[in-house]
Amino acid sequence: MNSMIRAGKFSSMSDIVNTATVFVLGELSTEKTNSNFDYTAFVENIPDDNSARTKISIALSGYLDAELEDLAKSTHKNKSYIVRMALFRFFDFCNDPEKIKIHATDSEDKITISKKELEEMVYEVVNKVIKENK
């Protein structure tokens, strides 16, 4: 995260965490209408993190906090775990920005979207958050 801040891509760790959270919520927004979607499988597909953890405190908007709370209830995971998963997925995307795979209902199927499509999706979610907070 520090290298992203030093490179000027983000102004703070809070910006990175908020962006990663919106990124994951954008991915999930495509699945909200699918009644068979398994949220638990979505959040459990990350490797174990055995690295030393630094505790940070981040302020989330009311919308993001409520969405994280709903996701925590759906997946039976705590919000901290979901934020770590969001950061992992976001960093994975940053390292390979051309394609990202979204887990479909059937674990063998993958939906591949382009970076441009994902950016448009995240842009729509961010605009929604801004409108709701005005």
Side-chain angles (χ1 to χ4, degrees), residues 5-133:
I5 294 168
R6 280 192 299 271
K9 294 180 179 180
F10 295 91
S11 61
S12 67
M13 286 190 188
S14 182
D15 287 347
I16 296 170
V17 172
N18 278 284
T19 301
T21 304
V22 170
F23 175 84
V24 167
L25 293 175
E27 285 185 278
L28 287 173
S29 71
T30 62
E31 297 294 345
K32 283 198 174 193
T33 58
N34 181 353
S35 60
N36 296 323
F37 182 69
D38 184 7
Y39 289 95
T40 306
F42 182 82
V43 297
E44 289 182 354
N45 291 326
I46 64 170
D48 291 335
D49 180 11
N50 297 323
S51 61
R53 294 192 180 143
T54 301
K55 292 190 179 206
I56 58 173
S57 179
I58 301 295
L60 297 173
S61 71
Y63 172 80
L64 288 180
D65 192 48
E67 289 293 314
L68 274 177
E69 193 69 41
D70 289 345
L71 187 55
K73 288 177 186 173
S74 298
T75 60
H76 307 291
K77 301 286 184 186
N78 63 42
K79 290 192 296 186
S80 179
Y81 177 89
I82 294 170
V83 168
R84 284 193 310 275
M85 179 270 306
L87 286 167
F88 174 81
R89 292 178 69 85
F90 182 66
F91 294 148
D92 192 42
F93 171 75
C94 289
N95 290 330
D96 186 13
E98 291 306 312
K99 300 271 182 206
I100 185 162
K101 296 190 187 299
I102 298 175
H103 299 278
T105 307
D106 181 349
S107 62
E108 304 230 353
D109 293 338
K110 303 281 184 203
I111 302 167
T112 304
I113 63 173
S114 70
K115 178 182 177 182
K116 185 176 189 299
E117 292 169 323
L118 182 63
E119 286 172 347
E120 289 171 0
M121 188 185 328
V122 170
Y123 180 76
E124 288 174 15
V125 172
V126 169
N127 278 338
K128 181 179 177 184
V129 169
I130 291 169
K131 287 179 184 176
E132 289 179 358
N133 287 323

